[in-house]
Amino acid sequence: MSTFDPTAYLPDDLLERIRERAPIHDRENTFPEQDLDELRTAGYLSILVPVERGGAGLGLAEAAVLQQRLATAAPATALAINMHLVWTGVAKVFSDRGVPGLEFVQDGAAAGEVFAFGISEGGNDLVLFGSDTDAVPTDDGGYAFTGTKIFTSLAPVWTKLGLHGLDTTSADAPKLVFAFVDRTDAVATGDDWDTLGMRATQSRTTRLDGAVADAAHVVRRIDPGPNPDPIVFGIFSVFEILLASVYTGIARRALDLAVLTAQQRRSKKTGAAYSQDPDIRWRIADMGLAYDALPPQIAALARDVDEKVDNGARWFTLLSGVKHRAITMSKHVVDQAMLVAGGGSYFSSNELSRLYRDVLAGAFHPSDPESAHATAASAWLGPIES
């Protein structure tokens, strides 16, 4: 059996260049275009594309490891690339299960296209199950989309935007429509990304004014609400697993920095390294115990997706749960790392300060804590009685 080598896809020297640029993009609130260029050249955008379509042919389990690795260098770069990988991951879910319709995503990724994720809308807590964006059918089988999407990572560079909208006019309406549009004059990208952390993702607001997806790029028309359609499972599974991976990578970097600090700093009082202080040792042990739980969980769920394991109704609580635990764990580990490092970590020039700000973004990604707990409660207790 061959052993997966992450350095073959993310070499150490590439990772270090990305790490060196991360504080600059955070400070200047700019998109890491050089990171994207180097990752594209390395074939990273097509890691989930089958070999026969020009990609690396990796599974979701391997992609999750790579995203953890990338996040240790530049969390915002990893999170931005995540959104492209979500669509290539959904395409893999489709092709693995014999579902046609997303081959153009695989071919596009292999050719260097950048796919962005246009699902989030302000105030829309239905997320995948509903949309405030109007999807109006065109005469040739396509759709014209009008509405506003928020948190559109990769905003300065994407070439195709995967999105959803609600068709309320067709004979079988209402239908949720999932499709892809090109960057045209009907798509306006705001310059409104000025955030506490994850600044380099440039996840700006996107306004659609009749943006057209041609018939070949209309992927799915499904009933609104919870739905067993492959598009819902594909997006939810890949999104949650890769998101958990990014934040787990942040935790790993914080843990490594805390260990390095403890080994290098010495107490004025005792003359011993901080690594010999019982309180510091307990704190780092606590970080390690928390962190160690997540990579195996992510790996197990990703393998289940890759191997088409049928977890039935348990899927959604397992997926929302691993994302929730990854965010909670990562925030805890970064908090502890700040305490190990001391007051120096409070300065914005310190890497831990950036990790502290970046990890806060985890609370805003679906599934949020309320949704994750509601899903788990329904799984264990059944739905609330009406």
Side-chain angles (χ1 to χ4, degrees):
M1 180 181 293
S2 61
T3 302
F4 172 63
D5 179 11
T7 64
Y9 304 91
L10 268 180
D12 291 340
D13 59 340
L14 171 56
L15 208 63
E16 283 309 308
R17 289 194 298 275
I18 291 173
R19 189 191 310 282
E20 289 170 4
R21 293 189 288 259
I24 299 170
H25 293 299
D26 178 73
R27 183 174 63 250
E28 298 178 356
N29 195 23
T30 53
F31 183 81
E33 297 205 27
Q34 196 170 354
D35 292 1
L36 177 63
D37 289 343
E38 290 203 62
L39 288 167
R40 181 193 279 117
T41 300
Y44 199 82
L45 299 188
S46 57
I47 55 174
L48 287 167
V49 175
V51 173
E52 60 270 22
R53 301 198 87 96
L58 298 184
L60 186 58
E62 289 83 13
V65 171
L66 289 171
Q67 281 297 91
Q68 290 173 55
R69 179 170 165 79
L70 182 56
T72 65
T77 295
L79 188 63
I81 296 297
N82 237 34
M83 302 311 163
H84 169 90
L85 293 179
V86 166
W87 283 124
T88 60
V90 175
K92 176 176 168 53
V93 167
F94 272 39
S95 62
D96 285 351
R97 288 156 178 79
V99 180
L102 284 175
E103 292 81 4
F104 71 90
V105 170
Q106 296 175 327
D107 294 339
E113 295 254 33
V114 179
F115 292 88
F117 193 72
I119 299 295
S120 296
E121 299 168 339
N124 178 17
D125 57 357
L126 292 171
V127 196
L128 287 177
F129 300 149
S131 176
D132 294 327
T133 297
D134 292 327
V136 178
T138 61
D139 292 339
D140 58 0
Y143 271 89
F145 292 86
T146 299
T148 300
K149 301 292 184 176
I150 60 172
F151 296 129
T152 315
S153 301
L154 301 165
V157 297
W158 63 261
T159 59
K160 282 189 167 46
L161 178 67
L163 76 170
H164 73 340
L166 189 64
D167 174 0
T168 60
T169 61
S170 293
D172 59 351
K175 290 289 184 181
L176 268 180
V177 182
F178 291 82
F180 289 78
V181 301
D182 294 323
R183 190 187 286 274
T184 66
D185 291 343
V187 181
T189 298
D191 187 14
D192 56 352
W193 190 249
D194 186 10
T195 50
L196 182 65
M198 288 293 182
R199 291 161 60 80
T201 64
Q202 291 303 300
S203 307
R204 304 172 187 176
T205 298
T206 302
R207 294 179 177 83
L208 309 159
D209 185 13
V212 174
D214 60 40
H217 292 153
V218 175
V219 179
R220 237 45 193 177
R221 293 178 74 254
I222 64 174
D223 292 332
N227 196 302
D229 192 272
I231 193 73
V232 174
F233 174 74
I235 291 174
F236 195 75
S237 60
V238 179
F239 186 91
E240 298 291 80
I241 287 170
L242 292 183
L243 199 68
S245 300
V246 168
Y247 287 92
T248 297
I250 293 175
R252 177 54 189 261
R253 179 60 177 171
L255 177 54
D256 287 344
L257 289 172
V259 169
L260 185 63
T261 298
Q263 291 171 338
Q264 291 179 342
R265 293 184 65 188
R266 305 191 78 84
S267 168
K268 291 288 186 180
K269 182 167 58 178
T270 66
Y274 273 36
S275 60
Q276 303 307 303
D277 183 291
D279 294 328
I280 296 293
R281 292 178 67 84
W282 183 93
R283 200 175 294 283
I284 289 178
D286 185 60
M287 296 164 66
L289 289 168
Y291 165 78
D292 280 343
L294 263 297
Q297 293 179 45
I298 294 170
L301 281 179
R303 281 195 303 270
D304 277 2
V305 175
D306 286 336
E307 296 171 6
K308 296 173 284 189
V309 172
D310 182 9
N311 284 312
R314 288 275 292 153
W315 261 124
F316 289 97
T317 190
L318 291 172
L319 292 165
S320 61
V322 78
K323 180 268 178 180
H324 173 72
R325 288 189 295 276
I327 301 304
T328 302
M329 175 277 294
S330 188
K331 289 178 69 176
H332 171 72
V333 167
V334 174
D335 278 344
Q336 295 284 66
M338 296 278 285
L339 292 173
V340 170
S345 62
Y346 190 57
F347 286 84
S348 59
S349 59
N350 190 291
E351 184 177 356
L352 277 172
S353 171
R354 176 163 50 83
L355 298 184
Y356 184 82
R357 289 180 289 110
D358 281 350
V359 80
L360 297 178
F364 302 104
H365 304 296
S367 298
D368 61 25
E370 292 79 13
S371 176
H373 281 80
T375 301
S378 293
W380 290 103
L381 298 171
I384 294 176
E385 297 175 3
S386 58

